Structure formats: structure tokens, C-alpha cells
Amino acid sequence: MEIIRNELDNLVAEITLTLNPSDYKPEFDKEIKNLSYKAHLKGFRKGKTPLSAIIKMYGKSVLADILNKIISTEINGYIKEKEINMLGEPLPTSDFNGDDINTKEFLPLSFSFKIGYVPEFEIKGLEDDVIYESYEVRINKEIIEKEFQAIRKKYGTAIILDKTIEKNDFISLRVDELGEENIVLGNGLNSEFGILVDRLSDQYFDEFIGKNKGFQSVVSIMDLEKDVDRDFVMKYFLNTEADTNVNKYFLATVEGVKEHEPAELNEEFFTKAFPEMGITTEEEALIVIKEGMGTIYKDEGDQITQMHLLESLVNKNDFELPQDFLKEWLESSQEDEKSKISDKEYLNFEKQLRWSLISKSLGKKYNIDVQGDDMRAGAVEIVKQMLRSYNNYPGIDYDSLGELYLKDNPDREKEVYRKVYSEKIMENIMDSVTLRRKKIDMEEYDDLVKKMQKDNQ
């Protein structure tokens, strides 16, 4: 067995693995012999099938499996041993395929793979003399007044309107459990609850938009809202225990669009809306709202600042990448083997790759470490964002929902890890760079967000 590496250019190399018959034939003979003990072919007693018949029927697939295992083990072992910092995965470049497998004559076999290297680079854009804009959203009287009116509605009297359903509406639904042939069960579960239209799953969103009170639809209750699990549905939609047996489908009836008439400006309203603050007048309430919104819009401004920093760092760090190799690797991973990566798709991928390499380098520089408490806090933040329309519901245990979000779900664990890791990277960047405060109004803020979203499409 021999492995040779040939440098094709600065960031691309070819690895060739050569196997002698002695590297794979003993394992092939062993597997064929084991099969002969188990095989029961017509005309032969079990365990007495000639090896030639076994090889004829199973030889190619057995040898292919053996070769794949050896190739994977040896190539990955070589990459690890040589500490090769690699981009993507090795790309096969040899013409060998299943039809080339010969179980009659065992010869030396060669397999070649192209690999791309992670470039070495020094991060630019974090020098002491580099200044970045730090955005602060200006809070005007109109925004404060709008928030005050929203609070009045929140604590006002709930009313159900018979109006056409729109994207941002909060609708009241009644659901009744269905049995066979979608007939409502007389003793089935039924419940009433509210749901934000924008939170409906894609399959139901279009169905409810534009409809009115009385509209009915057969829905899969567990799939009605996106990104929620069974425990949430059972507790907040069906108002029952998590282990209760329920059928999949329910009849959903629109009771109407739920809105609130503004509360009167009296002691009861101020006590509920601003508990333990001693607020008794509208003027005092507006001052408190302004302070609270200052915190909220500081966070909004920080998000814009962080997006701007990310864009700037990606643009400043234009280190060389093996573009041809990366395009080839991307195309090889497409379901359609003939699919080509467009220039726009590649540029978006390259931008994400550059940031990934930059953040990995910064993670080492800042000694970033994501612990269990970080993961739990990150999961809770994701759940709160998902359930933002239910913040007024009493008894939502976000800690428990955060644990459920992570439980036995490796994909979500990776998602939360990436989120927390990225946040820690950005916190360290914000602390280390020089920021120049720039005040912007809401219109400018909205325009900046739209521009950045468009640039990243």
C-alpha cells in the first residue's frame, strides 16, 4: 500500500492511494468464505455452495464494500496523520468504477482524490486605527406614542372581529377532533385558542389568508404551527396532558380575528401595565416607555452594527481560495449530477466560507468556549423568539421548553452551538474594535436592514 501527494497548485493537491492485492484480497477471501457458510442457493445444501458460485453472485458487491472501507480509512487516516487543514471533502479524480471490479484477476488498484487546503491568513480589519460605524436608532415621539397605544390595546377589552384575515392578524380558532372519514367525534377533544397567522405552517398559511369568520379546514394539529413540538401543542392548543392519545386531524373553525379595544386611562390600567412602578399618568408612562425602548433599539442598533462588521471583515479579508476546486466540490454534492453552480450561488457560498474561516480563527484568538449553561440559554432565546406571539400566555416555562428543544436532537444542538459561538465571537469583536456612534431614524434603520438582507440573498 502506498499514498502519494502531488501538489497541483498553492491550495490544491492530489492524493493517490495504491493498493496491492495483498492489501484487499485476504479480506475478500474471508468475506466470501463466510458467505459460503450462510448461503443457501438452489441446488446446493446450506454451507456447501461452491466458492465460485458465491463469487459469481456476490463477488463484485463484496469487493466494492471492502475497497470503499479501505479507501475511506486510509485517506482519512493520512489526512489526520499529516494534519492537513482541508476545505470540503476529498473529490475522486480516478476513473475507477464498479464495472472495473475484477474478481478473477487481482491486480494493483489506484484511487486518486483532489483536496483543497484552508489558506493561511492574518485577519485584517481589527487594527487599532480602523473605525467602524456603530448605529443608534433614534426614538421619536411618534414611535413612543405608537407603543403606548399598543400597550393600551394589550390591556384593553378583547373583541372578536368578523374581518378578512391578513398576515399579521391574531385569529381565534376552535378545533374539534376528527375520527374516521373526517367526522367530528362526539367524545373527542375540542379547544379554543389564538394563533398568529404568520406562525401558521406553510401548508396552512395560504389556506387561511383572505378567509373570514366561519371558515373551516381539516388540519393536522401537530403541524398547524411551524417550529413547535407535541408538548407545546398538547398544553397550549389542546389544553390537555402530554400523554393523552389524540388523532392526527382536527376540524379548525375560524371564530374571528382577535383584537383589543384600548383600555381606559385609569388606575387599574396603569397598575396592570406598569406594575410596582407607581405610574399614574400618561406622561409618566411615556417616560418609562422611552427608557424601555431605548434598551430595545440599542439592541436593534447593535444588530445592524454587527451585520456591518461581518460584511466589512469578509470584504477586507480577501485571502486566496481554491475557487475551481470549491465549485467542483459544490457541484459534486448536488442531487442533480449535471447541476451547475451559478456565479451568484458561489459568491454567497464563498462569503459564508470566508466568515466561517475568520470566525474559527477568532475563536482561537479569543479562546471561545461554549459550555452547557451557554447552550441552555441559547436554546431558551430561540424558543422565546419562536413563541414571541404567546408572551402574554401565563405559565410558559421557557427553561423546560429550551431543554425539550435540545433533547435528543443533534441538529438543533449544532444550531444552538453555532448561534452561541457566533454571538461570543461578535461580542469580542465589538469589545476590541473602535466604534463611532451614528444616530439613525427608523426609516434609515429599515433601509439598512433591507439592503443587508438583499445583499445576502
Side-chain angles (χ1 to χ4, degrees):
M1 184 185 305
E2 182 183 38
I3 297 182
I4 296 174
R5 180 171 24 156
N6 178 33
E7 305 294 337
L8 300 181
D9 62 35
N10 188 36
L11 293 173
V12 181
E14 186 175 61
I15 297 175
T16 300
L17 168 67
T18 300
L19 300 177
N20 295 313
S22 58
D23 296 317
Y24 64 89
K25 189 174 183 302
E27 185 65 22
F28 174 78
D29 293 339
K30 178 183 174 182
E31 288 299 316
I32 292 296
K33 198 169 186 179
N34 287 338
L35 273 175
S36 71
Y37 295 145
K38 302 173 186 176
H40 192 180
L41 301 184
K42 189 175 181 180
F44 299 99
R45 285 183 298 162
K46 186 176 181 180
K48 298 296 182 180
T49 306
L51 293 181
S52 58
I54 297 293
I55 291 172
K56 185 175 181 180
M57 291 193 67
Y58 305 110
K60 284 194 172 186
S61 62
V62 168
L63 186 53
D65 286 343
I66 290 171
L67 291 174
N68 283 331
K69 288 177 183 177
I70 293 174
I71 292 167
S72 176
T73 300
E74 295 302 324
I75 294 295
N76 290 331
Y78 177 84
I79 290 168
K80 185 176 181 180
E81 177 191 349
K82 300 299 182 182
E83 298 181 344
I84 298 174
N85 201 3
M86 191 174 65
L87 287 171
E89 299 291 336
L91 276 175
T93 56
S94 51
D95 295 330
F96 189 88
N97 58 58
D99 294 333
D100 297 322
I101 292 178
N102 189 341
T103 56
K104 295 180 180 179
E105 185 179 9
F106 294 89
L107 300 170
L109 301 173
S110 291
F111 306 90
S112 296
F113 298 85
K114 194 184 294 182
I115 60 170
Y117 296 130
V118 172
E120 294 184 3
F121 62 95
E122 293 290 332
I123 294 180
K124 302 174 184 176
L126 299 181
E127 298 82 3
D128 293 338
D129 59 343
V130 179
I131 298 175
Y132 292 97
E133 300 282 6
S134 175
Y135 297 98
E136 179 181 342
V137 182
R138 190 182 291 111
I139 305 169
N140 56 40
K141 291 181 180 179
E142 289 77 12
I143 295 175
I144 298 170
E145 179 62 31
K146 185 177 180 181
E147 179 65 15
F148 180 63
Q149 295 305 324
I151 294 172
R152 285 187 64 190
K153 281 192 173 185
K154 176 180 176 181
Y155 290 96
T157 305
I159 55 174
I160 302 295
L161 302 178
D162 182 5
K163 66 181 283 288
T164 301
I165 296 171
E166 299 176 2
K167 178 180 178 180
N168 295 318
D169 283 338
F170 194 79
I171 57 174
S172 178
L173 291 181
R174 173 187 170 86
V175 292
D176 294 276
E177 189 176 8
L178 298 177
E180 294 182 2
E181 298 182 1
N182 287 341
I183 297 175
V184 174
L185 295 173
N187 60 346
L189 283 174
N190 60 75
S191 177
E192 289 187 19
F193 56 88
I195 185 170
L196 189 67
V197 175
D198 199 32
R199 292 289 304 157
L200 290 170
S201 298
D202 292 342
Q203 63 194 101
Y204 298 120
F205 179 83
D206 291 336
E207 195 172 338
F208 280 83
I209 284 288
K211 303 303 191 299
N212 291 79
K213 179 180 178 180
F215 172 72
Q216 292 185 319
S217 175
V218 174
V219 301
S220 169
I221 193 66
M222 300 299 169
D223 302 318
L224 180 62
E225 180 171 356
K226 54 190 173 188
D227 300 324
V228 296
D229 58 21
R230 175 186 168 86
D231 286 352
F232 180 89
V233 171
M234 299 299 285
K235 184 174 182 179
Y236 297 108
F237 287 177
L238 300 181
N239 195 28
T240 188
E241 299 298 323
D243 57 356
T244 303
N245 289 324
V246 296
N247 289 331
K248 180 176 181 180
Y249 293 104
F250 280 67
L251 178 65
T253 304
V254 176
E255 299 289 301
V257 175
K258 200 170 187 179
E259 289 191 1
H260 286 76
E261 289 184 333
E264 292 185 19
L265 300 182
N266 53 30
E267 182 180 352
E268 181 184 3
F269 163 70
F270 288 117
T271 301
K272 285 183 178 179
F274 306 94
E276 300 180 5
M277 291 186 183
I279 303 297
T280 59
T281 67
E282 179 178 346
E283 290 73 20
E284 293 172 343
L286 292 174
I287 292 172
V288 170
I289 291 171
K290 183 177 181 180
E291 291 173 351
M293 294 188 75
T295 300
I296 293 172
Y297 283 107
K298 179 185 181 302
D299 293 339
E300 300 283 355
D302 286 347
Q303 287 183 23
I304 290 292
T305 301
Q306 290 172 13
M307 292 170 68
H308 176 62
L309 276 168
L310 189 153
E311 285 284 328
S312 297
L313 287 172
V314 168
N315 292 332
K316 289 177 184 292
N317 289 277
D318 56 348
F319 45 78
E320 182 184 1
L321 286 170
Q323 293 187 349
D324 292 339
F325 168 81
L326 289 172
K327 287 178 182 178
E328 189 178 349
W329 175 67
L330 283 170
E331 288 171 357
S332 71
S333 63
Q334 301 292 307
E335 290 185 8
D336 182 359
E337 294 181 1
K338 296 181 180 179
S339 177
K340 294 292 183 183
I341 299 294
S342 68
D343 291 341
K344 185 176 181 180
E345 287 174 322
Y346 175 75
L347 287 175
N348 286 336
F349 165 78
E350 186 176 292
K351 183 184 293 185
Q352 293 170 5
L353 176 61
R354 285 186 187 280
W355 175 244
S356 176
L357 296 175
I358 292 167
S359 61
K360 187 176 180 180
S361 177
L362 289 175
K364 294 178 181 177
K365 174 183 171 123
Y366 297 133
N367 295 315
I368 300 298
D369 187 22
V370 178
Q371 300 289 341
D373 288 345
D374 300 319
M375 292 288 288
R376 285 186 285 273
V380 167
E381 287 304 311
I382 288 176
V383 170
K384 283 183 176 179
Q385 182 64 23
M386 288 166 50
L387 306 182
R388 63 190 182 279
S389 58
Y390 301 103
N391 285 343
N392 296 331
Y393 281 24
I396 292 184
D397 185 350
Y398 286 111
D399 290 335
S400 296
L401 289 175
E403 288 182 15
L404 282 171
Y405 187 80
L406 289 172
K407 187 177 180 182
D408 302 325
N409 195 319
D411 289 338
R412 286 180 177 176
E413 287 182 4
K414 291 177 183 176
E415 172 200 7
V416 174
Y417 181 89
R418 285 194 296 266
K419 175 182 182 295
V420 175
Y421 182 89
S422 296
E423 287 174 350
K424 288 195 171 197
I425 290 288
M426 197 54 72
E427 286 171 7
N428 278 274
I429 293 174
M430 294 275 282
D431 288 340
S432 64
V433 300
T434 302
L435 297 173
R436 180 172 55 208
R437 211 73 176 163
K438 179 180 180 181
K439 288 193 174 186
I440 57 174
D441 57 29
M442 281 303 299
E443 289 75 16
E444 290 177 286
Y445 168 79
D446 290 338
D447 290 342
L448 277 170
V449 171
K450 289 175 183 177
K451 181 182 183 303
M452 290 185 175
Q453 289 174 341
K454 183 179 179 180
D455 291 343
N456 286 283
Q457 284 180 346

